[in-house]
Amino acid sequence: MRVVIAEDLALLRDGLIRLLGAFGFEVVEAVDNGPSLQRALTTHRPDVAVVDVRLPPTFTDEGLRAALEARREIPGLPVLVLSQHVEQLYARELLSDSTGGIGYLLKDRVSDVKVFVEAVRRVADGGTALDPDVVAQLLTRHAREEPLQQLTPREREVLGLMAEGRSNAAIAGKLFVTEKAISKHTNSIFGKLGLPQSEDDNRRVLAVLAYLGT
C-alpha cells in the first residue's frame, strides 16, 4: 500500500515513515510543505495520503488545501488528516466529498499505534476515520441547530458514533444495545435531518457531516 506523508516536523515525519514501513506500507514520498505535497500526490497517486494541516510556507492550511486540490485532479484520492488543529472551512469541504476514503485525527489524541495504522488502512480502503473531538467541533460550530434540537440525547450519541465511521453493529456494541435498536435510531436520525437512508456507511457519514457543516 503506497503512502505519501506531509509533515513539517522532521522527527515526526521520520517517525511516521518508520512506523508505516514497519506495518507493510510503502512510503513513496514524505514532504514538508504544501506545494511539494500537491506535486507528490498528483505524481505518485498514492493509495492514501497522511497530511498535516499547517505546513510551510505560511503554516495556516496549506496541507488541507493541497489535498483538496489533488482530489479535484484525482477524484476519490484517500486522505487522512493528522493534525493538532481542526481547520473548519476546508475540513468541512473535505468531509463533504462523498468520493474516496477520508479521515481526520488529532495528533495529541493518537495514543495507540495499532489504532492509528488501522485508521490509515480504513481510509485507504475507502472508509472513514474521524476523531470524536473533530466531530464535536464540526457539530457544535457548524450545525443547523433547529434540526439537531429534534434529536434525542441517545440519537445525538449515535450520530456522533456514526460520524466516527462506526457500523451499526459497532455502535450497538459500544452502547450495549441490540443492532436492531441502533437501526431504529439511525432511521430516526436520517428522517429528522431530512437525509436519505443508505446502507453505505461511508456515504451516510459524509452526508451527515456535509449537511451539518453547511
Side-chain angles (χ1 to χ4, degrees):
M1 192 172 290
R2 301 164 65 251
V3 185
V4 165
I5 295 172
E7 170 57 57
D8 65 296
L9 296 178
L11 288 177
L12 181 53
R13 186 171 62 251
D14 185 65
L16 286 170
I17 293 171
R18 294 172 182 272
L19 170 64
L20 293 176
F23 281 86
F25 293 88
E26 178 190 358
V27 178
V28 293
E29 190 167 354
V31 302
D32 64 359
N33 63 81
S36 295
L37 171 60
Q38 188 171 346
R39 176 195 54 75
L41 292 176
T42 54
T43 299
H44 295 291
R45 296 176 177 251
D47 297 304
V48 62
V50 179
V51 177
D52 193 4
V53 171
R54 299 183 179 182
L55 297 173
T58 67
F59 293 97
T60 54
D61 51 23
E62 285 87 351
L64 261 178
R65 286 193 288 111
L68 286 167
E69 285 298 323
R71 281 173 67 96
R72 293 186 184 103
E73 182 173 335
I74 311 169
L77 175 69
V79 174
L80 172 59
V81 177
L82 180 63
S83 179
Q84 292 179 328
H85 313 279
V86 179
E87 204 296 323
Q88 296 286 322
L89 177 61
Y90 291 109
R92 296 201 311 277
E93 184 176 347
L94 174 66
L95 297 173
S96 64
D97 185 349
S98 60
T99 59
I102 52 95
Y104 204 126
L105 302 179
L106 298 178
K107 291 178 179 177
D108 59 358
R109 287 172 51 84
V110 177
S111 58
D112 189 314
V113 167
K114 291 184 178 180
V115 171
F116 171 70
V117 171
E118 179 186 344
V120 177
R121 293 191 188 280
R122 189 187 314 146
V123 171
D125 289 338
T128 58
L130 302 177
D131 186 286
D133 275 10
V134 174
V135 175
Q137 289 191 47
L138 293 175
L139 292 179
T140 300
R141 297 182 188 181
H142 295 278
R144 292 180 177 178
E145 292 300 334
E146 185 174 349
L148 276 184
Q149 289 174 356
Q150 300 178 36
L151 301 183
T152 66
R154 176 61 95 182
E155 287 170 348
R156 284 175 175 264
E157 190 174 14
V158 170
L159 177 59
L161 292 170
M162 282 171 52
E164 291 177 35
R166 298 174 187 258
S167 65
N168 281 1
I171 296 173
K174 177 77 173 179
L175 300 181
F176 303 103
V177 298
T178 65
E179 188 172 349
K180 184 177 181 180
I182 296 302
S183 180
K184 289 182 178 179
H185 286 310
T186 300
N187 290 336
S188 177
I189 290 168
F190 277 106
K192 291 178 179 179
L193 297 182
L195 296 169
Q197 299 179 35
S198 171
E199 295 302 319
D200 186 328
D201 290 336
N202 185 38
R203 189 166 64 240
R204 74 179 187 173
V205 170
L206 295 176
V208 169
L209 290 177
Y211 180 86
L212 296 178
T214 56

